[in-house]
């Protein structure tokens, strides 16, 4: 039996060509990744700020009543419930944005 060098040399040539040719998409992809990471980090910061504002307004379940709340205790309870739901939603958003940021490669 004769040994053929063609398959081995073809594999070697393919490996050499793949490493020798610079990947033109690396730089643009890194730029897109960095841009996406920046956007996610910005959204995380905004969400944290809004969460802090909501927590301050909520005041452990006893927000300061507004004029409209003084006229209707039901409206006050609805506003308290809405604030609590907003705080919980922002907490979930923060968790999601932190997970997304962890998946993005650091620069």
């Amino acid at each position: 039996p004769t040994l053929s060098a063609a398959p081995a040399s073809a594999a070697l040539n393919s490996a050499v060509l793949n490493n020798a040719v610079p990947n033109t998409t690396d730089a643009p992809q890194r730029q897109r990744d960095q841009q996406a990471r920046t956007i996610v980090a910005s959204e995380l910061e905004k969400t944290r700020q809004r969460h802090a504002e909501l927590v301050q307004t909520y005041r452990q379940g006893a927000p300061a009543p507004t004029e409209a709340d003084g006229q209707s205790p039901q409206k006050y309870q609805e506003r308290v419930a809405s604030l609590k739901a907003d705080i919980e939603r922002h907490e979930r958003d923060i968790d999601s944005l932190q997970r997304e940021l962890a998946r993005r490669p650091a620069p």
Side-chain angles (χ1 to χ4, degrees), residues 41-102:
S42 173
E43 285 298 315
L44 178 58
E45 185 57 32
K46 287 180 201 173
T47 303
R48 283 180 174 158
Q49 288 175 356
R50 180 64 181 139
H51 177 263
E53 292 169 5
L54 288 168
V55 168
Q56 187 176 14
T57 301
Y58 185 65
R59 292 178 23 183
Q60 298 177 342
T66 63
E67 268 186 50
D69 295 337
Q71 297 171 2
S72 171
Q74 180 64 30
K75 284 186 180 182
Y76 179 77
Q77 291 301 322
E78 288 171 0
R79 189 167 69 91
V80 170
S82 176
L83 281 169
K84 185 176 180 181
D86 285 348
I87 288 171
E88 291 170 353
R89 182 175 44 86
H90 277 80
E91 288 170 352
R92 287 190 307 271
D93 290 348
I94 288 169
D95 290 342
S96 295
L97 289 166
Q98 287 174 331
R99 281 192 306 272
E100 181 66 25
L101 201 56

